[in-house]
Amino acid sequence: MKFMKLGSKPDSFQTDGDNIRYVATELATDVTVIVGDVKFYLHKFPLMSKSARLQKYAVTSNGGESSDEVDISGIPGGPAAFEVCAKFCYGMTVTLNAYNVVAARCAADFLGMHESVEKGNLIYKIDVFLSSSIFRSWKDSIIVLRTTTSLLPLSEDLKVVSHCIEAIATRACVDPSRVDWSYSYNRKKLPEENGDTGIGTTTNEIIMRNRSVPRDWWVEDLCELGIELYKRVITTITSKGILHHEVIGEALKAYAYRRLPGVLGSSSSSNKGGVVQSEEMVKYRSMVDAIVWLLPAERGSVSGSFLLKLLKAASYVGSGDQTQEQLVRRIGQQLESASVNDLLIRRANGGGERDDDSMTTYDVDVVQKMLREFVTQDQIAEVEEIQQGAAAGILSDASKLMVAKLIDGYLAEIGKDPNLPVLKFVEIAEMVSGVSRPVHDALYRAIDTYLKEHPGISKSERKKICKLMDCKKLSVDACMHAVQNERLPLRVVVQVLFFEQVRVSATSGCSTPDLPKSIRDLNNGSQRSSRSAVTNPDEDWDALATAEELKALKAEVAALRLRRIGSSSSNNMDRGGGSYRMKGLLKSKKVFAKLWSSKGEKGENSGSDSSGSLGSTTNGTEEAKSTPSRNRRKSVS
């Protein structure tokens, strides 16, 4: 730390209790200076020789008589700052440093210690010290800037604040290769300390000393500043246009985690009575609003995960709609970098108007807004990609696939909420339905979760949900689960069986045989076969094939599997791969055979092609007969 010593005489200031200061000399004191609760017993001559204000106070307008008592309680910096000025007047040794120099400068200005009163006065010496030492030191500049807060507005008027900010911003923008001064840095961020490298302590210390300066070397030191000063420093740094936007984003992230440890990522539901209106909450709100305002405009300057944490914090501290809407837009533009846990934003329980799904655990509306923003940005990107070529399109497809996967996981989580309406579930899923996903297992898991938690939904609602899934894109494991899942409509199960037949046919090299007409009709979504007079589409959705049709399908798929196994053996396939495939096929065969057998029994016993809703209670004789076979499809979830 830089410091400056003034004066050469011994310090003869002494204390008598907490509120008395005096100079120990042979001369009797002739003036009492009152600063707040403290009284200074001093001599007029040394004070008046350097202070224009004390010269005025020394002689009153009352007949020109001298006053023995002067009250200057309004002096900036209080008793400590005045004592520095008084010692300077006496020529006593006084030390100025980053912690007391601003208070001394403001007090000297208050006392009028200018060059016009005496050459080499205190104001001149302090200004030289600031410009030649303090503003040239990284850490001292930050310390000085912090001390200016309690001395506003005088420290601002004296341009100490603006000079400090400019000095800090200039040094922050210096090329890291030229940084040769000390700075604070979170050593845990260094790669060699993130894991066990096997490097000894001594070697590690050498690495630290020889390591190149990181480009965000300055961000942690600035976390010591209050939000108003921090905002001004970051604005000045950004205006220079030298640092990359990701570095600015890293600085804001570090500041948020340092200053909002209990707020960042807090759940709004913990605030049972609405936003707490307290002085501390107001302070947190101003921090969140300032950080959002300072975010660089460039996409990717901060991660989507951090933006979502900011959004949760903004909701918790009661930030305005403008702040939250800005965050929603930013998140939507880079939604692919978020995680499922980030999207689980609990709904606030405050007052105000409520919509129909206001009782849901999570705020699904805000996620919908993010998705709309992502879709809008994607449409804009498609136009740009036409001009940029295929490479940009590949990146865009990857982003869309990541978002689709993210939403599938999100649906699986919110599907556990018993208060989530079917419409909301379907709306969110349909917003990413245009993304071509190679596998629909995650979406099937989300649908199954919702059906499990909402057993009482209607047949038409089950139809809406199940139509979100493409049975052709289910893996073998998902198919095995689906054909035993009694929560699924029967039509979905038949579709799964159909596409499994097609897949086995393609794998074995055989052509797909002719299917029974009603199976084709069910798969193609057409009206039911002529043997049934039912035309209600909801009834058709849950309709069953006849026992003969299911037996025919069973026999054909079983034959295809046997041919595939035989073909694999005759071609001398790899022992490990062939064994694995044979086990898988035999396992699948047992599962499908059990299901088909149950369906066949049902068809023979019931003599009817219609069936009730999955969650309904049956009372009729025929329905009672069909129930056992239906219940044989048990979930493995």
Side-chain angles (χ1 to χ4, degrees), residues 419-431:
N419 295 320
L420 181 68
V422 173
L423 182 61
K424 283 294 179 184
F425 186 93
V426 173
E427 284 179 351
I428 294 175
E430 286 181 342
M431 293 181 77

Side-chain angles (χ1 to χ4, degrees), residues 15-322:
T15 301
D16 184 4
D18 294 333
N19 301 323
I20 302 296
R21 305 282 192 279
Y22 65 93
V23 180
T25 64
E26 297 178 356
L27 296 175
T29 58
D30 54 6
V31 65
T32 302
V33 180
I34 301 173
V35 183
D37 296 333
V38 181
K39 291 184 177 181
F40 291 85
Y41 294 93
L42 306 173
H43 303 87
K44 292 181 180 179
F45 177 74
L47 297 179
M48 290 188 296
S49 64
K50 291 181 172 60
S51 173
R53 182 180 287 266
L54 292 179
Q55 287 177 9
K56 288 183 180 181
Y57 286 153
V59 178
T60 66
S61 59
N62 186 13
E65 295 181 359
S66 176
S67 174
D68 294 334
E69 192 171 273
V70 178
D71 190 339
I72 54 171
S73 297
I75 186 172
F82 173 74
E83 186 171 332
V84 171
C85 295
K87 288 180 180 179
F88 176 79
C89 293
Y90 278 92
M92 298 177 185
T93 302
V94 60
T95 301
L96 295 177
N97 54 45
Y99 290 100
N100 65 5
V101 66
V102 178
R105 176 63 177 85
C106 292
D109 186 80
F110 179 87
L111 295 173
M113 302 176 73
H114 301 283
E115 290 295 283
S116 58
V117 179
E118 184 179 84
K119 290 291 184 181
N121 214 338
L122 184 57
I123 290 178
Y124 170 77
K125 291 185 179 295
I126 290 178
D127 285 346
V128 170
F129 176 56
L130 288 171
S131 59
S132 63
S133 296
I134 296 296
F135 297 151
R136 294 175 180 270
S137 170
W138 167 252
K139 289 197 171 182
D140 286 347
S141 295
I142 296 174
I143 293 171
V144 166
L145 185 58
R146 291 174 58 193
T147 63
T148 62
T149 304
S150 61
L151 297 165
L152 293 171
L154 185 56
S155 60
E156 187 76 68
D157 296 338
L158 297 175
K159 300 188 182 303
V160 176
V161 176
S162 59
H163 286 320
C164 272
I165 290 174
E166 181 61 29
I168 293 170
T170 300
R171 285 191 168 265
C173 293
V174 169
D175 190 298
S177 62
R178 295 171 53 197
V179 174
D180 57 0
W181 51 84
S182 62
Y183 56 87
S184 301
Y185 196 77
N186 182 7
R187 299 300 184 184
K188 294 180 181 179
K189 293 168 66 175
L190 300 179
E192 52 265 31
E193 292 193 358
N194 286 339
D196 185 9
T197 61
I199 301 176
T201 303
T202 305
T203 308
N204 243 340
E205 291 175 354
I206 296 173
I207 291 176
M208 295 301 177
R209 289 197 297 268
N210 297 333
R211 180 182 176 82
S212 60
V213 177
R215 62 177 184 171
D216 61 341
W217 62 268
W218 50 272
V219 302
E220 292 182 33
D221 284 325
L222 293 192
C223 291
E224 303 298 329
L225 298 175
I227 187 59
E228 291 302 323
L229 291 175
Y230 183 81
K231 184 177 178 180
R232 292 177 62 179
V233 171
I234 294 296
T235 301
T236 304
I237 291 174
T238 304
S239 66
K240 292 182 180 296
I242 297 175
L243 295 181
H244 194 270
H245 61 84
E246 289 183 355
V247 181
I248 303 295
E250 183 63 28
L252 295 172
K253 182 178 177 181
Y255 188 84
Y257 279 111
R258 175 76 68 87
R259 290 285 181 163
L260 302 167
V263 176
L264 198 65
S266 295
S267 171
S268 60
S269 65
S270 61
N271 185 10
K272 299 298 182 183
V275 177
V276 178
Q277 297 297 332
S278 65
E279 184 178 348
E280 187 176 45
M281 194 63 72
V282 171
K283 180 184 70 173
Y284 288 149
R285 186 184 308 138
S286 66
M287 286 186 188
V288 172
D289 291 347
I291 291 171
V292 174
W293 184 81
L294 289 169
L295 288 172
E298 292 83 0
R299 183 179 184 274
S301 55
V302 292
S303 67
S305 179
F306 174 66
L307 289 172
L308 279 155
K309 286 182 173 62
L310 275 181
L311 180 61
K312 292 179 182 179
S315 175
Y316 176 70
V317 302
S319 295
D321 292 340
Q322 185 176 1

Side-chain angles (χ1 to χ4, degrees), residues 444 448 478-488 490 493 591 594-595 598 614 627-637:
Y444 166 66
D448 184 49
C479 287
M480 292 174 62
H481 185 280
V483 297
Q484 301 175 86
N485 190 348
E486 61 184 7
R487 290 184 287 271
L488 293 179
L490 294 179
V493 177
V591 172
K594 182 178 180 181
L595 176 64
S598 300
L614 185 62
T627 301
S629 63
R630 174 62 168 162
N631 289 339
R632 276 200 271 278
R633 290 196 297 127
K634 297 182 180 179
S635 172
V636 295
S637 60

